[in-house]
Amino acid sequence: MENMFCFQCEQTAGSVACRGKAGVCGKKENTANLQDALTSALISLACVAKENAMNVTEQTHRIILEGLFTTVTNVSFDDAAISRQIEITKNETEKLNRNKSDYKAYEMENIWQANEDIRSLKSLILFGLRGMAAYAYHAFLLGYKNKEVSDFFYQGLYAISQDWSMEKLLPVVLETGKVNLKCMELLDKANTETYGNPVPTTVPLTVEKGPFIVVTGHDLYDLYLLLEQTKDKGINIYTHGEMLPAHAYPKLKEYPHLKGNFGTAWQNQQKEFDHIPAPVLFTTNCLMPVKDSYRDRVFTTEVVAYPEMVHIDDERDYTPVIEKALELGGYKEDTVFTGINGGKTVMTGFGHNTVLSVADKVIDAVKKGDIRHFLLVGGCDGAKPGRNYYTDFVKKSPQDTIILTLACGKFRFNDLDLGTVAGLPRIMDMGQCNDAYSAIRVAIALAEAFKCGVNELPLTLVLSWYEQKAVCILLTLLSLGIKNIYLGPTLPAFVSPNVLNYLVENFNISPISTPEEDLKKILG
C-alpha cells in the first residue's frame, strides 16, 4: 500500500483511520507499513506452522509473541528494529517449512480492502491477539506457559488468512476473548507466584532528593531486575503509569529504594518528563515520540524501540541507565508532586486475593443496603478530549457506591479522597489492565454468593479503551456473556455498523453519554 492505513487505537484520525504520512500516535507512514509487513509475515508463519506442527518450537512461539507485541500501539517507532523482526519471522517460516510446501505470503490488503463486516471481525481477532500477546509475553519471561493459549495464536492468525464468512469468523472473535481469560489467569499466576499476592499499599507521589530512575510500562520482571542491580547504589526507583501496582507486591516491597510513583498516565509523559533530572526506562507499550528535552535520558528494553535511543538487550544489563541516573543527580531537594486532582498519595493493591478476603464484609454490606452498587471504572487512558467524563463520573458517584478500577485510566481520579463505605475504601485499584482477571474473579465469586448471574449483580462496567489490550479484555467480557457495558470515549472505528448492531443486540453495549445520564440509568 502506498499510504498507511491504521485504525487500531481509539485516537485514530477522525474516528475513521490514520492515513497518509503519519498517524495520530506519532508513527510514520513507513513504520506503519513495516508493522503491516511484520503482521503479514506472522500470519504466513502461523499458516506454515499449522501444516508443520511437529516442527514448532519454543523459539517459534517467542517470535509470534514478540512480533505481535511489536505491532501494539506505542511500542516501536524504530524501522530498523521492526525490519529485523520481519527477517527473524521469515527465517523461522523457512526453517519450519521442512517439507517445502508451497505457501503464499499473506498480504494485509486482504483485510483492509475486504467487505467492512469481514474486515471488522478480522480486525477484532487481530487486535485481540496483539493485546493477548503482550500478556503472554510477560508470563513467558517468568517461565509460565499454557498450551491452549500458545496454540490459539496460530489458530487465530490462520483464521485471519482464510476467506471465511461472518458466521464462521464470529465464533473465533469470542474464542479470542475466552482464551485471553486463560492468558490473564496465567499472567496472574506468574506474577503472584513470583512476587506474592498484592496487598493494599499507599504510594507517595513525592520524589526524594538525589539520583533516581523512573520505570514505566507493565513488565514487573524488568523492574525486579533493575531493583536488584541498583541495590546499595544510592539510587531510588519510581514507577510511572501502569507500573504503579508494583508497589503492592510483597517481594518488590522488600526493596527500600522502591520509593513511590512519578507522574500519571502515559499520554502525559511529554510534559512530565520535560527536563526530568533522571533516566526513564520504557518496558512496554507506553512510548510517545521523544522530545529533545529528555532525549538523552530515554532507555528502552524488550520489544520497545525508538530511533537513536539506547536499547537494553536481553542480557538486561542496566549499567547505562544507572550511570545516567548518577550523572543527572536527581532533584536537589525533596520535590512534592500531586495527582491530577491534587492528591499527594495514591493507593493500589486491591487484587482478587485482597477483595475476596473481605468478601463476607462486602456481601453483608450489600445485603444491609450500605453498598448500593459497584462501578468498575477503568481501562486505558489517552489524550483525546472527552476523557474527563471518567473523572466527573467518579466524582458524581453516590457515597453508597464503590469504585473498582484498573489500568492507567485510574489516573484520572485515583488521587481523589472519596472516603469509605462500610469500612472499605470507596476507590479500590485492582492493578494493571491484565488485572481485569481480578475483577472477573471477584464478580464470579459475588454472583455465587448471591446465587445469581453476573449480569444480575449490582455491578456495572464503565470502560475507557485506547489500544489492543483493551480490545482483548472487552472480548473476554463478551465471551463470558457480560452485558450492559458502557464504553468510551468513542466506539472503535474498526467495528462496522452490522458488527456493532450485533454487539448491541446481544450484549447491550452502550457508548458513554454524560456522567449524570449514565449514573441515572445505572442506579435507577
Side-chain angles (χ1 to χ4, degrees):
M1 299 178 70
E2 290 186 6
N3 293 318
M4 70 181 292
F5 177 90
C6 185
F7 60 177
Q8 68 176 6
C9 81
E10 189 272 335
Q11 66 182 10
T12 192
S15 295
V16 178
C18 291
R19 304 173 187 266
K21 298 299 182 183
V24 176
C25 70
K27 69 182 175 188
K28 303 300 183 186
E29 174 186 22
N30 194 57
T31 307
N33 290 336
L34 281 171
Q35 289 184 351
D36 269 3
L38 175 55
T39 303
S40 299
L42 292 166
I43 293 173
S44 297
L45 174 57
C47 292
V48 169
K50 188 175 185 297
E51 299 298 323
N52 298 269
M54 295 296 291
N55 299 330
V56 172
T57 65
E58 188 172 283
Q59 176 65 13
T60 312
H61 185 52
R62 178 161 187 160
I63 289 169
I64 289 283
L65 295 184
E66 289 183 343
L68 285 169
F69 195 176
T70 295
T71 60
V72 170
T73 306
N74 291 94
V75 170
S76 182
F77 294 81
D78 190 341
D79 291 358
I82 300 170
S83 296
R84 286 194 297 272
Q85 196 66 36
I86 292 170
E87 287 307 306
I88 290 170
T89 306
K90 288 181 175 179
N91 290 340
E92 184 68 14
T93 304
E94 294 298 329
K95 176 182 168 186
L96 207 61
N97 191 28
R98 292 179 184 170
N99 60 15
K100 302 301 178 186
S101 61
D102 186 27
Y103 73 91
K104 185 178 180 181
Y106 190 77
E107 300 294 335
M108 292 301 287
E109 287 89 338
N110 295 343
I111 298 178
W112 307 146
Q113 297 176 4
N115 163 280
E116 67 173 356
D117 295 327
I118 298 299
R119 181 177 72 176
S120 183
L121 293 175
K122 287 189 175 184
S123 295
L124 278 166
I125 296 167
L126 175 60
F127 302 157
L129 289 173
R130 286 175 174 174
M132 186 164 67
Y135 300 145
Y137 179 79
H138 297 321
F140 184 88
L141 289 182
L142 294 175
Y144 287 74
K145 309 174 192 70
N146 176 293
K147 189 175 187 304
E148 183 179 351
V149 173
S150 300
D151 289 348
F152 186 74
F153 285 104
Y154 301 95
Q155 296 165 19
L157 289 170
Y158 174 78
I160 291 169
S161 76
Q162 299 302 295
D163 186 21
W164 288 355
S165 65
M166 283 185 67
E167 290 71 23
K168 197 166 182 180
L169 285 169
L170 191 57
V172 185
V173 171
L174 295 178
E175 186 69 13
T176 305
K178 181 180 175 182
V179 175
N180 184 59
L181 178 62
K182 294 183 182 297
C183 187
M184 289 193 296
E185 180 182 21
L186 179 70
L187 181 53
D188 177 81
K189 182 179 180 182
N191 285 337
T192 55
E193 289 187 355
T194 304
Y195 307 113
N197 281 302
V199 295
T201 303
T202 299
V203 183
L205 303 181
T206 295
V207 177
E208 297 180 13
K209 67 178 180 180
F212 69 99
I213 297 169
V214 174
V215 186
T216 188
H218 303 71
D219 203 297
L220 301 179
Y221 183 59
D222 279 305
L223 176 61
Y224 165 71
L225 293 178
L226 183 65
L227 288 167
E228 271 291 301
Q229 292 181 34
T230 50
K231 284 192 302 188
D232 305 319
K233 291 188 182 295
I235 298 173
N236 290 328
I237 307 298
Y238 291 84
T239 56
H240 172 268
E242 283 270 56
M243 201 64 85
L244 167 65
H247 291 274
Y249 287 90
K251 187 167 182 178
L252 299 177
K253 287 167 69 72
E254 291 175 0
Y255 293 90
H257 60 302
L258 177 59
K259 290 289 186 176
N261 190 73
F262 179 93
T264 53
W266 67 273
Q267 80 279 358
N268 299 319
Q269 66 189 256
Q270 290 179 328
K271 176 178 66 177
E272 293 173 346
F273 295 164
D274 190 35
H275 293 98
I276 183 175
V280 183
L281 177 65
F282 286 84
T283 68
T284 54
N285 57 305
C286 55
L287 176 62
M288 292 182 73
V290 180
K291 293 177 64 177
D292 289 342
S293 63
Y294 59 92
R295 177 176 291 275
D296 66 328
R297 56 207 68 182
V298 166
F299 296 82
T300 61
T301 190
E302 297 181 19
V303 297
V304 186
Y306 197 87
E308 300 177 6
M309 300 295 105
V310 176
H311 188 77
I312 307 299
D313 63 21
D314 289 348
E315 297 300 316
R316 299 298 205 284
D317 179 358
Y318 296 110
T319 299
V321 189
I322 293 168
E323 290 176 344
K324 179 59 73 171
L326 295 171
E327 172 195 330
L328 292 170
Y331 294 108
K332 302 302 182 186
E333 302 293 338
D334 292 357
T335 304
V336 178
F337 292 96
T338 65
I340 288 176
N341 302 285
K344 295 180 181 179
T345 63
V346 293
M347 282 197 76
T348 190
F350 293 92
H352 59 84
N353 189 66
T354 294
V355 177
L356 293 179
S357 71
V358 294
D360 291 347
K361 187 176 183 180
V362 171
I363 292 165
D364 187 54
V366 173
K367 288 180 176 178
K368 287 181 178 178
D370 295 335
I371 297 176
R372 181 176 16 162
H373 211 86
F374 294 90
L375 299 163
L376 176 59
V377 186
C380 309
D381 206 354
K384 201 171 180 180
R387 290 181 179 268
N388 286 340
Y389 165 95
Y390 298 94
T391 310
D392 295 339
F393 184 95
V394 169
K395 285 182 176 179
K396 294 176 186 295
S397 62
Q399 184 63 33
D400 57 0
T401 59
I402 281 183
I403 308 297
L404 304 175
T405 190
L406 47 82
C408 62
K410 61 176 167 269
F411 283 101
R412 294 273 170 175
F413 51 79
N414 68 338
D415 64 319
L416 289 170
D417 182 4
L418 297 185
T420 62
V421 56
L424 300 168
R426 284 199 56 224
I427 296 181
M428 296 187 186
D429 174 15
M430 306 190 86
Q432 297 181 342
C433 52
N434 53 282
D435 291 311
Y437 173 73
S438 276
I440 292 167
R441 280 279 302 272
V442 169
I444 291 173
L446 289 176
E448 291 173 352
F450 287 111
K451 296 181 172 56
C452 68
V454 171
N455 292 313
E456 299 169 275
L457 286 171
L459 167 69
T460 302
L461 280 61
V462 184
L463 305 180
S464 55
W465 82 281
Y466 172 71
E467 42 83 354
Q468 296 75 66
K469 287 190 277 190
V471 174
C472 65
I473 290 171
L474 177 62
L475 296 182
T476 293
L477 297 172
L478 299 182
S479 75
L480 291 168
I482 294 176
K483 298 183 178 182
N484 305 314
I485 297 170
Y486 289 76
L487 186 63
T490 60
L491 295 177
F494 52 82
V495 174
S496 69
N498 285 332
V499 172
L500 177 60
N501 186 55
Y502 172 86
L503 296 177
V504 171
E505 286 186 356
N506 289 273
F507 300 99
N508 198 29
I509 286 184
S510 302
I512 59 171
S513 57
T514 67
E516 295 84 357
E517 290 176 9
D518 291 344
L519 280 167
K520 185 177 180 180
K521 283 192 286 185
I522 291 167
L523 301 174

